[in-house]
Amino acid sequence: MHDTLLLVDIQNDFLPGGALAVPEGDAVVPIANRLMPHFSHVVASQDWHPADHGSFAAHHPGTKPFDIGELDGLEQILWPTHCVQHTPGASFASGLDIARIDHVVRKGDDARIDSYSAFHDNGHRKATGLADTLHARGSRHLFVMGLAADVCVKFTVLDALAEGFVVTLITDGVRGVDMTAGDTDAAIQLMHEAGARIGTTVQLIS
Ligand code: VGL
Ligand code: ZN
């Protein structure tokens, strides 16, 4: 058994057909299902925004999704309205075997604060509590996969390394938004340079 699998934002809105669809985002669902039985702990993050969340372009007159704007003094990519609390888009992907998830961390639930990382909001103002939960359980090695590689997975991995966890990025288990071509490859390179190990599903289950 491996230590802890961290599933980042595998939610309907990030799958094809969703409000903020990640190309091939649905490909990570069977990979997560295949991996979960091989881990002692499975933790999932969930992007969980109120309808009036300040990251939504709809709340910034004169802007459109993917423009750069501002939120509470921080530069903010303005996103399509996504992962609104209690809507189907915010639910875990329909095919995901959620019975195997033993802890869920919700983020982005304050309208004035966005949180890409599962550990901290973007301004590093407040911890989500995930690091404490994992430390309390004795988790030391996190295996990270999910969506989106170049947004929430990237910041989650960088924070996990900063929190002192050993981190393995499961490369076939991530897909990126690629707002600019090459963003996903650059994100994987950055995570690796920051100290993340690189692994694949086949390596982990054989
Ligand atoms: C995400 C953009 C906005 C993600 C969340 O899960 O990668 N991306 N909110
Ligand atoms: Zn979001």
Side-chain angles (χ1 to χ4, degrees):
M1 289 290 248
H2 297 293
D3 185 341
T4 299
L5 182 65
L6 174 49
L7 306 176
V8 177
D9 300 3
I10 305 182
Q11 296 167 259
N12 289 321
D13 268 344
F14 297 122
L15 303 193
L20 179 39
V22 175
E24 298 178 10
D26 51 336
V28 309
V29 176
I31 293 174
N33 289 343
R34 196 164 169 212
L35 283 171
M36 285 192 268
H38 296 270
F39 285 83
S40 306
H41 303 286
V42 181
V43 175
S45 66
Q46 193 173 24
D47 213 35
W48 192 249
H49 298 310
D52 64 347
H53 196 257
S55 75
F56 299 164
H59 301 310
H60 298 257
T63 70
K64 57 186 190 314
F66 307 106
D67 283 352
I68 306 291
E70 203 195 286
L71 179 58
D72 222 30
L74 293 179
E75 190 176 283
Q76 171 73 46
I77 301 172
L78 301 178
W79 301 106
T81 298
H82 66 279
C83 296
V84 174
Q85 297 171 3
H86 308 290
T87 66
S91 296
F92 289 118
S94 317
L96 190 66
D97 190 1
I98 56 170
R100 289 197 180 264
I101 298 171
D102 47 42
H103 180 72
V104 175
V105 57
R106 288 177 164 169
K107 61 191 180 63
D109 54 340
D110 180 325
R112 303 292 312 162
I113 299 174
D114 205 7
S115 191
Y116 295 152
S117 161
F119 292 93
H120 280 102
D121 56 280
N122 294 357
H124 267 245
R125 291 172 176 144
K126 220 170 115 228
T128 60
L130 179 59
D132 289 342
T133 300
L134 293 174
H135 287 312
R137 287 176 168 194
S139 295
R140 296 182 61 247
H141 191 164
L142 308 183
F143 295 76
V144 184
M145 60 165 291
L147 305 170
D150 47 353
V151 189
C152 290
V153 171
K154 177 173 87 174
F155 288 101
T156 296
V157 165
L158 296 177
D159 275 355
L161 290 164
E163 293 281 353
F165 294 100
V166 178
V167 180
T168 296
L169 176 73
I170 305 169
T171 49
D172 56 320
V174 299
R175 292 295 186 283
V177 181
D178 275 334
M179 269 172 58
T180 303
D183 281 355
T184 297
D185 291 342
I188 292 172
Q189 183 67 26
L190 181 73
M191 290 182 263
H192 185 49
E193 282 165 7
R197 302 176 184 184
I198 301 296
T200 63
T201 302
V202 173
Q203 288 167 354
L204 292 176
I205 65 181
S206 58

